[in-house]
Amino acid sequence: MAVMTIVEFSRQGVDRDGRPIWAPDVSAVTAQQPDIAIGAGSLASAAFNANTRLIRVNVDANCRVAFGDAPVAVATNFARMTAGATEYFCVAPGQK
C-alpha cells in the first residue's frame, strides 16, 4: 500500500550565526501524523498542531496535495508529487 507521511515542525532551522535556513529545526518536531493511504479518493490528514508552521511530506506513489481547512486534492489542484518525493511546505496551524 502506498502512503503519504507527514512530519510537523514549529520552525525553520538556523545556521550558526542565527540566520534562517531552508530546512526544518529537527529539535522542533510538533507532531508525526499517521500515514495516509494514497488511492483514488481524496483523504485529509488530521488538523496540524497549534505550533506547526512547516511540514515535511514524503510519498510512495504519484499523488496531489492540497492544504486548507477542508482541502480536496484532485488532479488539477495545487501540487503534484511523484513517487519517492519529499517536499517541505509552510502551513498554518489547524489546516489539514
Side-chain angles (χ1 to χ4, degrees):
M1 170 179 76
V3 297
M4 173 184 294
T5 303
I6 301 172
V7 180
E8 302 178 39
F9 302 91
S10 63
R11 63 182 173 267
Q12 285 181 251
V14 294
D15 67 15
R16 65 182 179 173
D17 296 320
R19 294 180 299 239
I21 58 173
W22 188 236
D25 179 343
V26 295
S27 69
V29 173
T30 58
Q32 169 78 44
Q33 293 261 346
D35 286 343
I36 299 168
I38 296 173
S42 179
L43 296 174
S45 69
F48 299 137
N49 181 288
N51 296 313
T52 296
R53 301 294 186 275
L54 178 71
I55 62 170
R56 177 188 182 271
V57 179
N58 175 265
V59 298
D60 291 347
N62 294 348
C63 66
R64 295 276 179 166
V65 296
F67 304 98
D69 295 329
V72 178
V74 295
T76 58
N77 73 341
F78 185 62
R80 179 177 185 272
M81 294 185 67
T82 58
T86 300
E87 295 282 347
Y88 293 88
F89 299 95
C90 291
V91 295
Q95 287 186 324
K96 300 176 181 176

